[in-house]
Amino acid sequence: MGHLKNMNEKFLTGQAVILAAGESSRFWPLNQKHKSLIKIMGRPLIFYTIESLKKAGIKDIIIVQGPKKDIEEELKDYQPNIKYVIQEEPKGMGNALWQARNLIKGQFLFLNAERVDCQEIIEEIKEEKAKIVLVGQHTDNPELYGMMRLRGARVLEIIEKPKKGKEPSNVKVVGVYLLEPEFFSYYQKVRKEKYDFEKALSNYLKENGAKLVFLKTPEVFSLKYPWQLFDIQRYLFDRFLKRKIEKSTQILKNVGIEGNVCIGENTRIFEGATIKGPCYIGENCIVGNNSLIREYTNLENNVLIGAFAEVTRSIFQEDIHTHSGYFGDSIFGKGCRLGAGTITANVRIDRGEIKVKIKNEKVKTGLNSLGVIMGENSKTGIHCSLMPGVLIGSNCIVGPNSLVFENIEDNTNFYTEFKRIKK
């Protein structure tokens, strides 16, 4: 996976703690499991983070997961020798890290599970000799992040989600921290609440300071909201996707395959279909007659794309079936069924920025193209029209000929006349 040099042994003990617990509430409707278990190219996001750490020389890895142990279950077949601890309740980053304290031996890296780019970040910070190093990056949306108060290259304080005009700088905290065990003595002293990690860290910084490493790379890989998956998908495709078509793939007459396309075992591509890379198509998939799959599309195992469908810049999890229709800039959870003629509108009529309603607030996406995001096991009838930026929960039924302008909550039957009937 990697092309970077191994880390300087003086920099770290070779130990990392990955945060993979919490409810991921802002990730709805894709939060039926931890967000780092969303799959791209056949592997969950956390797999790429672990591999990135290993390439950087960090092999002693501790994962903090929730009580469902879904991370451990997902990784057991291809990521052995990982240590796991449980955060019984979603009480924030500080409480999660506290669960791992007895396994920590010395200076360690603490990072979010979706940091698939951590090897590159480590490359930028490996020469630092400070006991604590924080990673920062510019942002135009300080109200969404923990923001740094700075004095030159020294970090003095972290202000969590400041109001517009009250931010101490335009540098946000990236979810990668180089810490030392002394941090826990500061954590013990703070009041336990949602942002107690940030408060303990700020108290440490006031007495000791920390070195700032500023990332010059574009602002990517925040994974607070589900549409931010597209940035991570593009990163992974651009670096790791290689053209490969398995021998067991059945490609029938007049099929066109262009560019960087990976197709898994026992997949069938029917007559007249066109695939334009970069695209990933997993195992046991079907691409129907005269369908078009193009540009940054990810189809996991057992996906069926019906005849005359078009799919572009979309992420499909496992076991999804579609008939004819258009699916652009959209994400579908495992097990969805999409009726014939389903259309995802992915651009506003005025071509403006698409906003999404999250917890009754309109959130700017920064995107001019965004289709639907649908949870697991939801179904649409024939001729459904889904407007840009709509979120549809899990286990929903969207009736035939429905026009959907607003979010649909989990476990809802939605009909053309906009009635919602709870099951």
Side-chain angles (χ1 to χ4, degrees):
M1 275 186 58
H3 60 279
L4 302 175
K5 298 178 181 177
N6 284 342
M7 293 173 47
N8 186 332
E9 291 183 355
K10 294 180 181 179
F11 164 59
L12 280 176
T13 62
Q15 192 172 44
V17 179
I18 298 177
L19 177 58
E23 295 178 316
S24 305
S25 61
R26 287 172 293 189
F27 208 66
W28 182 83
L30 302 177
N31 62 343
Q32 297 81 21
K33 53 189 177 182
H34 193 266
K35 59 189 176 183
S36 68
L37 293 180
I38 293 289
K39 288 186 177 179
I40 301 293
M41 296 190 296
R43 293 286 187 263
L45 298 181
I46 193 171
F47 170 88
Y48 296 102
T49 301
I50 293 169
E51 288 297 302
S52 194
L53 285 170
K54 289 180 176 179
K55 291 293 183 180
I58 302 177
K59 298 181 180 179
D60 185 354
I61 297 172
I62 305 162
I63 295 178
V64 185
Q65 62 179 338
K68 291 192 298 184
K69 299 183 180 180
D70 49 357
I71 304 291
E72 187 172 356
E73 178 66 23
E74 184 67 42
L75 294 178
K76 66 181 182 181
D77 292 333
Y78 46 80
Q79 285 290 1
N81 305 317
I82 301 289
K83 300 171 186 174
Y84 294 93
V85 295
I86 304 296
Q87 185 185 29
E88 293 292 346
E89 298 179 44
K91 293 183 177 180
M93 290 175 59
N95 179 266
L97 181 57
W98 182 256
Q99 310 310 313
R101 67 194 184 280
N102 293 329
L103 297 176
I104 292 171
K105 302 170 185 175
Q107 195 180 34
F108 64 99
L109 205 68
F110 181 43
L111 68 160
N112 293 326
E114 68 274 9
R115 295 307 319 192
V116 299
D117 59 339
C118 63
Q119 184 182 358
E120 297 178 18
I121 294 173
I122 291 168
E123 179 72 7
E124 294 201 38
I125 67 176
K126 69 178 183 179
E127 299 300 329
E128 301 298 334
K129 300 296 195 295
K131 291 181 179 180
I132 285 190
V133 177
L134 303 186
V135 181
Q137 195 172 48
H138 280 150
T139 180
D140 294 325
N141 299 295
E143 70 279 5
L144 299 179
Y145 304 104
M147 302 301 295
M148 296 182 180
R149 188 183 304 282
L150 301 170
R151 181 183 297 153
R154 255 176 103 76
V155 186
L156 303 179
E157 189 179 6
I158 305 298
I159 308 297
E160 189 63 29
K161 297 181 176 63
K163 293 181 180 179
K164 275 281 190 182
K166 300 292 186 180
E167 58 271 15
S169 71
N170 65 347
V171 180
K172 72 172 183 175
V173 178
V174 173
V176 179
Y177 308 83
L178 178 62
L179 302 175
E180 62 166 348
E182 180 63 18
F183 168 81
F184 291 109
S185 66
Y186 288 84
Y187 180 74
Q188 282 181 296
K189 297 174 184 177
V190 300
R191 180 183 175 184
K192 302 304 180 280
E193 55 186 358
K194 184 175 182 181
Y195 296 122
D196 53 18
F197 173 81
E198 290 81 1
K199 289 193 173 183
L201 185 57
S202 289
N203 289 344
Y204 179 97
L205 296 174
K206 287 174 184 176
E207 294 187 17
N208 303 280
K211 194 69 180 292
L212 167 66
V213 168
F214 183 79
L215 295 185
K216 303 178 182 65
T217 53
E219 184 177 347
V220 292
F221 305 155
S222 294
L223 199 56
K224 294 179 182 292
Y225 303 111
W227 58 86
Q228 293 171 328
L229 279 169
F230 293 121
D231 286 331
I232 295 181
Q233 179 203 31
R234 183 174 290 269
Y235 173 90
L236 293 174
F237 271 34
D238 288 348
R239 283 157 180 79
F240 307 127
L241 182 66
K242 299 185 184 303
R243 183 180 174 96
K244 183 179 181 181
I245 300 175
E246 296 290 348
K247 292 181 179 179
S248 58
T249 298
Q250 298 179 40
I251 301 176
L252 302 184
K253 293 181 180 180
N254 301 318
V255 170
I257 300 177
E258 303 174 10
N260 214 11
V261 174
C262 179
I263 304 177
E265 294 181 354
N266 301 312
T267 285
R268 291 182 288 169
I269 314 295
F270 281 82
E271 292 91 344
T274 300
I275 304 172
K276 297 185 176 184
C279 290
Y280 173 87
I281 302 174
E283 299 176 357
N284 303 305
C285 294
I286 293 175
V287 177
N289 299 75
N290 302 302
S291 285
L292 172 60
I293 313 294
R294 63 184 177 92
E295 291 136 20
Y296 292 99
T297 287
N298 184 91
L299 308 180
E300 292 296 326
N301 296 343
N302 303 302
V303 169
L304 185 157
I305 302 298
F308 298 96
E310 180 179 355
V311 184
T312 182
R313 300 182 303 276
S314 291
I315 299 172
F316 284 59
Q317 296 300 283
E318 302 102 318
D319 190 33
I320 296 172
H321 293 186
T322 79
H323 290 275
S324 60
Y326 174 75
F327 310 96
D329 301 286
S330 296
I331 306 173
F332 297 94
K334 182 177 179 180
C336 290
R337 299 290 184 267
L338 306 171
T342 295
I343 300 294
T344 62
N346 58 338
V347 178
R348 287 169 44 134
I349 293 176
D350 63 3
R351 301 305 191 259
E353 180 182 1
I354 296 169
K355 298 178 183 178
V356 175
K357 184 178 285 188
I358 301 287
K359 295 183 177 181
N360 296 317
E361 293 185 9
K362 287 284 188 178
V363 176
K364 294 180 179 180
T365 65
L367 302 174
N368 295 104
S369 296
L370 176 62
V372 69
I373 300 175
M374 182 180 289
E376 294 184 357
N377 302 313
S378 287
K379 302 175 178 65
T380 68
I382 61 170
H383 301 301
C384 289
S385 299
L386 313 176
M387 293 298 103
V390 162
L391 308 182
I392 297 176
S394 295
N395 306 308
C396 293
I397 294 177
V398 180
N401 292 306
S402 290
L403 176 60
V404 182
F405 278 97
E406 300 289 340
N407 293 350
I408 300 176
E409 297 299 321
D410 295 338
N411 306 307
T412 299
N413 289 356
F414 182 98
Y415 296 94
T416 305
E417 55 269 37
F418 303 104
K419 290 181 180 178
R420 294 166 172 79
I421 302 175
K422 293 290 183 182
K423 292 181 179 179

